[in-house]
């Protein structure tokens, strides 16, 4: 077959041979797969030539935008020189080691080492094992239990899905695995009642203390949370939440794990989400924005507290991957971080495009089907509401969110819906006029929801 023939038949080929992640394949095959062929800046183009503004940066990850030739050239150079070597048996490669140093230079404080993985899911498995090994090396053999949050997402491997607090994932595979427990999320709109933001932040944070008391402080190894819940709906915690979480972990001698897979590398207007909230974790899984999605790479940033024990007391750590610190992926990540540094993209989010996005996003709160529109940096969550005066939600939130998302896609805007919340996380390079386009097209989709429900 010619290449043109192959392209014209990609939908049929896809249906016959490709199982998609997080998809109902019967429904997908019936509807047909959208084939994305190329991209540039904040735009993607499908096989029909239709142009979309990608307000989600792929999957929260294409932070420097599409079409960065500098990254492609760095990858080509590295492939030509050394396409692969492993990090086992006392070896490393130049980009792998230099990338670890570069990450540590932005981590701040005591997060000075990195263990490389291929994804955020693998990073969750890695820190989970690392936390248990840490306490065992210190002779605290009972300290194995881990506390996470409901409606959180930490990947889709067995450990990652167990740590995540999504019941529909737990139902597939008899999860969570032993030793993982969940507490409430800081979702004030849905669960805060009449409490003020400050009161609710403290209340839900102190569920951690209650769970530690229930399990026994001498049995709890770690607590994990995303600075802002991503896939759970861009749930932004009240300002009182994270300082109280940090206090509890510190006083109870519990490792604090900040999942930076989405928030890391600038999305909130700081290099990492924990910096935005003024706390310092013991472990921090990373991925996505590390390479802006150009090649798969992830890792765990490790504090001196944990690393010193692993180096001095543990001996062999029996964990790792064939592609841990893959030199070509590391070269892509190094070039990506150079772009972020030299173009001042983190500062741009903090001082310029972030505040502009926030104001534009907030303006949607005047719409009758919007309960709230909140954001930090370039990460926004918009709550759909059947009655905004009482915070009453729609009876079928998944259907409502899908309705709005599909209208956006039909009109050339890529958004994500989690239940009845609309999510945005555009590339750091998005312009003000492109932010306006996102908000204008989303407003039209909200009009469509209003009119459809009335009918």
């Amino acid at each position: 077959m010619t290449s043109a023939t192959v392209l014209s038949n990609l939908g049929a080929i896809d249906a016959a041979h490709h199982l998609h992640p997080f998809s109902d394949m019967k429904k997908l095959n019936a509807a047909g797969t959208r084939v994305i062929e190329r991209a540039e800046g904040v735009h993607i183009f499908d096989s029909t030539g239709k142009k979309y503004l990608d307000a989600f940066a792929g999957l929260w990850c294409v932070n420097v935008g599409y079409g960065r030739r500098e990254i492609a050239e760095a990858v080509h150079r590295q492939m030509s020189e050394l396409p692969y070597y492993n990090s086992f048996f006392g070896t490393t490669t130049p980009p792998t080691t230099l990338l670890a140093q570069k990450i540590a230079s932005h981590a701040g404080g005591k997060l000075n080492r990195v263990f490389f993985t291929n994804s955020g899911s693998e990073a969750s498995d890695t820190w989970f094992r690392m936390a248990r090994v840490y306490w065992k090396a210190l002779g605290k053999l009972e300290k194995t239990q881990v506390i996470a949050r409901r409606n959180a997402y930490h990947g889709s491997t067995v450990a990652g899905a167990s740590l995540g607090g999504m019941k529909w994932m737990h139902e597939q595979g008899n999860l969570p695995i032993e030793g993982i427990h969940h507490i409430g999320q800081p979702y004030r709109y849905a669960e805060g009642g009449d409490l003020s933001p400050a009161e609710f932040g403290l209340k839900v944070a102190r569920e951690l203390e209650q769970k530690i008391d229930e399990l026994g402080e001498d049995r709890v190894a770690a607590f994990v949370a995303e600075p802002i819940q991503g896939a759970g709906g861009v749930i932004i915690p009240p300002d009182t939440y994270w300082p109280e979480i940090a206090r509890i972990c510190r006083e109870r001698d519990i490792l604090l794990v900040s999942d930076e897979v989405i928030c890391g590398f600038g999305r909130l207007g700081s290099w990492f989400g924990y910096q935005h909230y003024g706390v310092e974790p013991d472990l921090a899984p990373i991925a996505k924005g590390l390479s802006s999605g150009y090649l798969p790479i992830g890792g765990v940033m490790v504090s001196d507290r944990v690393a010193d024990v692993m180096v001095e007391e543990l001996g062999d750590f029996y964990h790792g991957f064939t592609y841990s610190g893959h030199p070509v992926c590391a070269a892509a990540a190094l070039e990506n971080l150079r772009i972020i540094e030299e173009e001042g993209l983190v500062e741009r989010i903090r001082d310029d495009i972030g505040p502009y996005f926030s104001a534009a996003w907030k303006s949607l709160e005047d719409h009758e089907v919007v309960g709230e529109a909140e954001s930090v940096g370039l990460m926004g969550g918009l709550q759909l509401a059947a009655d905004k005066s009482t915070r009453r939600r729609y009876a079928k939130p998944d259907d409502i969110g899908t309705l709005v998302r599909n209208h956006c896609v039909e009109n050339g805007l890529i958004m994500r819906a989690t239940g009845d919340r609309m999510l945005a996380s555009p590339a750091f390079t998005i312009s003000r006029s492109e932010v306006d386009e996102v908000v204008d097209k989303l407003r039209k989709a909200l009009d469509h929801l209003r009119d459809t429900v009335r009918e």
Side-chain angles (χ1 to χ4, degrees):
M1 290 190 294
T2 66
S3 58
T5 302
V6 171
L7 286 174
S8 67
N9 288 297
L10 274 178
I13 294 170
D14 193 79
H17 300 291
H18 183 194
L19 292 173
H20 289 241
F22 285 86
S23 297
D24 180 327
M25 291 308 303
K26 185 176 181 179
K27 290 182 179 179
L28 177 59
N29 291 343
T33 306
R34 182 178 296 105
V35 179
I36 306 303
E37 284 193 345
R38 63 188 181 90
E40 186 68 28
V42 298
H43 293 96
I44 59 174
F45 300 81
D46 70 18
S47 55
T48 71
K50 184 174 179 178
K51 179 180 179 181
Y52 306 82
L53 195 164
D54 182 5
F56 210 67
L59 273 177
W60 320 86
C61 57
V62 189
N63 292 353
V64 299
Y66 296 100
R68 289 289 191 153
R69 293 189 179 275
E70 310 99 300
I71 298 179
E73 290 166 359
V75 166
H76 179 263
R77 287 194 301 271
Q78 185 58 46
M79 278 192 163
S80 301
E81 186 170 304
L82 180 67
Y84 168 75
Y85 203 69
N86 64 72
S87 299
F88 291 57
F89 317 126
T91 61
T92 190
T93 70
T96 306
T97 293
L98 292 175
L99 180 60
Q101 179 190 44
K102 176 61 69 176
I103 293 168
S105 73
H106 290 294
K110 299 177 180 179
L111 289 156
N112 289 308
R113 288 184 172 88
V114 181
F115 188 105
F116 286 110
T117 67
N118 307 300
S119 67
S121 293
E122 289 180 1
S124 287
D125 286 48
T126 297
W127 76 251
F128 181 72
R129 290 193 65 195
M130 199 175 280
R132 287 180 160 183
V133 163
Y134 166 79
W135 290 115
K136 184 176 181 180
L138 291 177
K140 299 186 178 182
L141 305 185
E142 299 299 314
K143 229 165 159 53
T144 60
Q145 307 299 294
V146 172
I147 302 171
R149 299 189 302 199
R150 292 189 292 275
N151 195 38
Y153 184 82
H154 298 291
S156 59
T157 53
V158 170
S162 294
L163 290 162
M166 296 178 171
K167 289 184 178 180
W168 45 273
M169 292 184 70
H170 293 168
E171 289 168 356
Q172 295 183 335
N174 298 319
L175 303 177
I177 58 175
E178 184 281 326
I180 295 175
H181 313 268
H182 295 87
I183 60 172
Q185 59 179 332
Y187 186 4
R188 180 174 173 267
Y189 187 91
E191 302 171 8
D194 295 328
L195 294 176
S196 70
E199 290 169 337
F200 178 68
L202 290 174
K203 175 181 179 293
V204 72
R206 287 169 184 166
E207 288 186 27
L208 173 59
E209 206 157 35
Q210 294 163 14
K211 182 61 72 171
I212 293 169
D213 288 340
E214 174 189 324
L215 297 171
E217 183 177 320
D218 59 346
R219 298 182 62 236
V220 179
F223 169 72
V224 61
E226 305 157 89
I228 294 174
Q229 283 161 256
V234 183
I235 307 300
I236 300 173
D239 290 341
T240 54
Y241 180 79
W242 270 107
E244 185 69 357
I245 288 289
R247 177 194 69 78
I248 293 167
C249 288
R250 183 173 59 252
E251 292 181 1
R252 297 303 193 94
D253 202 19
I254 308 296
L255 294 179
L256 176 58
V257 184
S258 178
D259 187 328
E260 296 286 338
V261 171
I262 290 173
C263 295
F265 303 101
R267 182 152 295 282
L268 305 188
S270 55
W271 273 92
F272 296 99
Y274 61 80
Q275 293 167 339
H276 176 81
Y277 288 107
V279 300
E280 188 173 58
D282 299 293
L283 297 163
I286 52 176
K288 295 189 184 291
L290 174 56
S291 69
S292 281
Y294 276 64
L295 282 175
I297 187 169
V300 179
M301 299 191 298
V302 185
S303 67
D304 295 340
R305 172 188 180 179
V306 176
D308 288 350
V309 170
M310 294 185 68
V311 171
E312 300 297 334
E313 306 293 339
L314 179 61
D316 288 328
F317 179 40
Y318 301 116
H319 181 80
F321 308 96
T322 300
Y323 304 124
S324 290
H326 192 292
V328 178
C329 299
L334 274 170
E335 185 61 19
N336 172 66
L337 298 184
R338 183 198 66 77
I339 290 170
I340 292 173
E341 290 175 339
E342 294 193 4
E343 295 186 7
L345 295 181
V346 178
E347 294 79 10
R348 180 174 188 260
I349 293 174
R350 184 190 66 206
D351 301 329
D352 178 18
I353 199 64
Y356 188 86
F357 174 82
S358 178
W361 191 255
K362 193 74 173 175
S363 72
L364 292 167
E365 283 191 353
D366 66 8
H367 200 286
E368 54 261 61
V369 301
V370 174
E372 68 176 6
E374 54 181 356
S375 66
V376 176
L378 285 180
M379 191 173 181
L382 181 142
Q383 179 72 54
L384 302 172
D387 184 343
K388 61 193 302 175
S389 65
T390 62
R391 291 192 287 186
R392 180 170 62 85
R393 299 164 72 183
Y394 289 97
K396 296 182 178 180
D398 289 338
D399 292 348
I400 292 298
T402 298
L403 176 70
V404 176
R405 182 200 66 196
N406 289 350
H407 189 276
C408 288
V409 173
E410 289 167 7
N411 288 280
L413 175 64
I414 302 298
M415 297 284 293
R416 178 167 177 171
T418 293
D420 55 4
R421 287 180 72 85
M422 301 304 299
L423 319 182
S425 65
F428 299 176
T429 54
I430 192 170
S431 68
R432 292 191 172 199
S433 63
E434 288 163 344
V435 168
D436 293 340
E437 182 182 346
V438 170
V439 172
D440 289 344
K441 288 184 173 179
L442 179 53
R443 184 175 287 276
K444 290 175 182 176
L446 297 172
D447 291 343
H448 175 67
L449 169 62
R450 176 198 60 205
D451 298 340
T452 300
V453 171
R454 281 178 180 169
E455 293 171 4

